[in-house]
Amino acid sequence: GKGARGLADVLNRVLDENGPPDAYIKGEEGGGAVGVGLRYGHGTLYYKDGTSTKVYWRGPSLGFDLGGSAAKTFVLVYNLESIDAVFQRFGGVEGSLYYVGGVGVTYNRADDIVLAPVRFGVGWRQGLNVGYLHFSPERSWIPF
């Protein structure tokens, strides 16, 4: 019950600050870090006109970050003119604290496009880092 309430509170805050999104991504991801971190994920992007497409993301991070996590991810996408515009790098800063379970939101930005990944996950990970997420239509294990 507390996890669902925490997730609802986070989503309500994002929607209150930004309004309804142009698209959203429903997926899952995993990652880990010992100072330098990596994150990999996949999901489906649902655009406002009803079209959808499979998306993959990956990215490195650097900072004071330690541990690993796996999360269900729900990304709210703002100012997206077309589906193809999501296939690029989005920079951001993240602070996290997972101990067994947790929920959090960060903001990533490229030009006018804003992503708000909401993560509900498990694991043990804590710290602060700077990095980016690179979205693509194909899976890749190369994080850069």
Side-chain angles (χ1 to χ4, degrees), residues 92-103:
V93 176
E94 179 180 5
S96 62
L97 176 59
Y98 280 98
Y99 177 72
V100 180
V103 62

Side-chain angles (χ1 to χ4, degrees), residues 25-29 42 57 71-75 117-120:
I25 301 169
K26 182 179 171 190
E28 54 191 37
E29 67 180 25
H42 63 92
W57 62 92
K72 295 289 184 186
T73 305
F74 191 74
V75 183
V118 179
R119 297 178 176 100
F120 186 70

Side-chain angles (χ1 to χ4, degrees), residues 37-99:
L38 296 174
R39 182 183 309 271
Y40 293 93
H42 63 92
T44 302
L45 182 142
Y46 299 93
Y47 195 58
K48 62 185 172 186
D49 68 4
T51 59
S52 64
T53 189
K54 192 80 169 153
V55 295
Y56 299 90
W57 62 92
R58 62 203 179 271
S61 63
L62 180 63
F64 302 101
D65 198 11
L66 178 65
S69 62
K72 295 289 184 186
T73 305
F74 191 74
V75 183
L76 301 173
V77 184
Y78 294 93
N79 305 321
L80 188 66
E81 296 295 325
S82 71
I83 287 179
D84 291 335
V86 80
F87 299 127
Q88 61 177 313
R89 288 188 176 109
F90 293 85
V93 176
E94 179 180 5
S96 62
L97 176 59
Y98 280 98
Y99 177 72

Side-chain angles (χ1 to χ4, degrees), residues 96-120:
S96 62
L97 176 59
Y98 280 98
Y99 177 72
V100 180
V103 62
V105 64
T106 58
Y107 289 96
N108 297 78
R109 181 180 302 268
D111 299 321
D112 289 337
I113 302 170
V114 177
L115 305 179
V118 179
R119 297 178 176 100
F120 186 70

